[in-house]
Amino acid sequence: MNILQQVKDPEIDSVSIVELGMVEQAEMNEGKAVIKLLPTFMGCPALEIIKANVEKALLADAEITMTDVDFLFSPPWTSDRVSEAGREKLKEFGIAPPPERLDDDGGWKVDCPYCNSPYTTMENIFGPTACRSILYCKQCKNPFEAMKPISTIM
Amino acid sequence: MTVSSAAEVKDKNYKTALVELLYGLADDDFIIAYRGSEWLGLAPHIEEDVAFSSINQDTMGHAAMFYRLLEDLGEGEMNSLAHARGAEERRNAIILEEVNGPGTYLVEPDYDWAFAVVRNYFYAQSKKIKIESLKNSSYQPLADAAVKVNMELYYHLLHWKTWFSQLMNSNSEARKRMMNAVEKTAADFAGVLSLGELGEEMAKAGLIEGEEMLVMRWKNAVKPIFEACNLSLPELDMKRGNGRNKVHTSDLQQAIDVLSEVYNSDPAAAW
C-alpha cells in the first residue's frame, strides 16, 4: 500500500490511486505482488497508464520480483470511495470533491474549491475527463471542476 | 441458476445464447459511439462537443467491457473483435449504423442534429431498460458489468432526454425536424429492442428478460416525455431488416473501413 500511495492519477497529480479508492486488493505472495484495481469510468484512457505506473512502482522495490495487476468491474468504483485525504488533495488541485449526497431531484450542491462558497452553478455535467464536471463560482467568479458523483442507486 | 464465471459455462446452448447477447450489446455500443465520434467539432456548440464526446468515450468503454466478456468466453482477442470483423459478422441494429447525414466528417458534413438527438435518446432509454434487466442476469460477470454501466448511463439518459424535450418544445422549425427524425428512427428502432433469433433462449436461460417485456418497458419509459411534448408514441418497425441476424446496409461496411484503417495497418501493434 505504501508503494501504491506513490502512484498518482496521471491527470490529477496531487492525488494517489489509494486516496481515490481505486485499490480493491493488494497482496504479497513470495515476491509476487497481486493488485486488483477498480476503474473509475470504463472508458477512461488513463487506465492503461495507471496499470503501467503501478507495475513500474512495484518492480522498483527490491522485494518484488513479479506483478499481477488487473482491473475488476465488481465491486463497482463509486465516488464515495475517495478518502478524506483524497478529497482535500482534489481541492488543492482546484477540483471540488464529489458531493456526498444527491438532492431528491438528482441535483447536487458543490462548494467552490477556491473560496468555499456554496454559490455555484453547473455549466456542463460532462467535463474534460469522464469523471469530472464543469461548474462556475458566482462568488469568486472562477470556473472550476468537480468530480462527478456516481453511486449504485442511480 | 447463476453462472459465476466464464469457466463455469458448460452448457452449449447456454453459451451460444450468451455469446449472441454479448455481441448484440457490444456491437450496438461500439457503432453508436463511433457515429457519435464523427460529430466531434461539429456539435451545435462547444459545451455540447465536450458532453457528446464524453458520452461516446463512456459508451466505447462499455463496448470494450462487453468485448472483454466475449474474449473471456474464447471468442478471440477484444481489439480484433472490435476492429477486424466485417459487416457480415456484426449484430448491431441497423438504425445505429446509419450515417449522421450527407457528407463525411472531413468533407461537407451536412449532419442532422435532430436525428442525433432522437437516435441517442431512444438508444439511451433502451439501454437503460436492458441494463436494469441485466443486473439480474444469470451470468454473474454480465450482471456485474451492468451495475457499472448503469452508473454512467444515468448521465447519458438525462442529457438526451433534456435535448429531446427542449427541441420538441422549441420553435416550429426545430419541432418539424425533430418529428421527421422520430419518424426516421422509429422505422428501424425495433431492431435495437430485438434480441434476434435466439431471444427466447436468452430469456429461458435467465440471461435477460424477453423481448416483449423490454419493448413494453421502453414504451412506458418514453410515454411521459412524449405526452409532455404533445406527441403520440410512434410505431416501432424494422423496415430494413434485423441487424441481430447479421442483416446490414452498406453504411456499416463504410464505417468499419474507416474505423479499422489504422488497426489494419499494423494489427500486431501494441497501443
Side-chain angles (χ1 to χ4, degrees), chain A residues 39-45 48 70-71 73-74 76-78 102 105-108 123-130 134 148-154, chain B residues 46-48 50-52 54-55 57-58 60-62 64-65 68-69 128 132 135 140-141 144-145 147-152 154-156 158-159 271:
Chain A
T40 53
F41 278 70
M42 287 312 300
C44 177
E48 284 305 311
D70 204 4
F71 285 100
F73 312 142
S74 181
W77 181 86
T78 46
L102 302 183
D105 63 357
W108 14 300
E123 292 282 305
N124 194 340
I125 286 179
F126 298 93
T129 74
I134 304 171
K148 230 183 251 179
I150 61 169
S151 83
T152 48
I153 57 161
M154 282 171 160
Chain B
I46 192 161
E47 293 298 347
E48 181 55 27
V50 173
F52 198 6
S54 188
I55 290 172
Q57 190 183 338
D58 287 347
M60 199 54 96
H62 303 165
M65 188 161 57
R68 164 87 186 258
L69 293 178
K128 175 74 180 165
E132 285 295 342
K135 281 188 192 171
Q140 194 59 43
D144 292 342
V147 172
K148 187 74 190 145
V149 169
N150 190 52
M151 295 191 287
E152 301 178 13
Y154 170 86
Y155 290 111
H156 303 177
L158 186 66
H159 183 81
W271 296 95

Side-chain angles (χ1 to χ4, degrees), chain B residues 16-58:
Chain B
T16 310
L18 172 59
V19 163
E20 277 306 307
L21 174 61
L22 287 172
Y23 271 121
L25 294 167
D27 289 345
D28 272 4
D29 270 348
F30 184 75
I31 198 71
I32 197 169
Y34 170 73
R35 285 296 178 211
S37 74
E38 289 186 307
W39 272 98
L40 186 60
L42 303 170
H45 54 76
I46 192 161
E47 293 298 347
E48 181 55 27
D49 234 12
V50 173
F52 198 6
S53 50
S54 188
I55 290 172
N56 293 321
Q57 190 183 338
D58 287 347

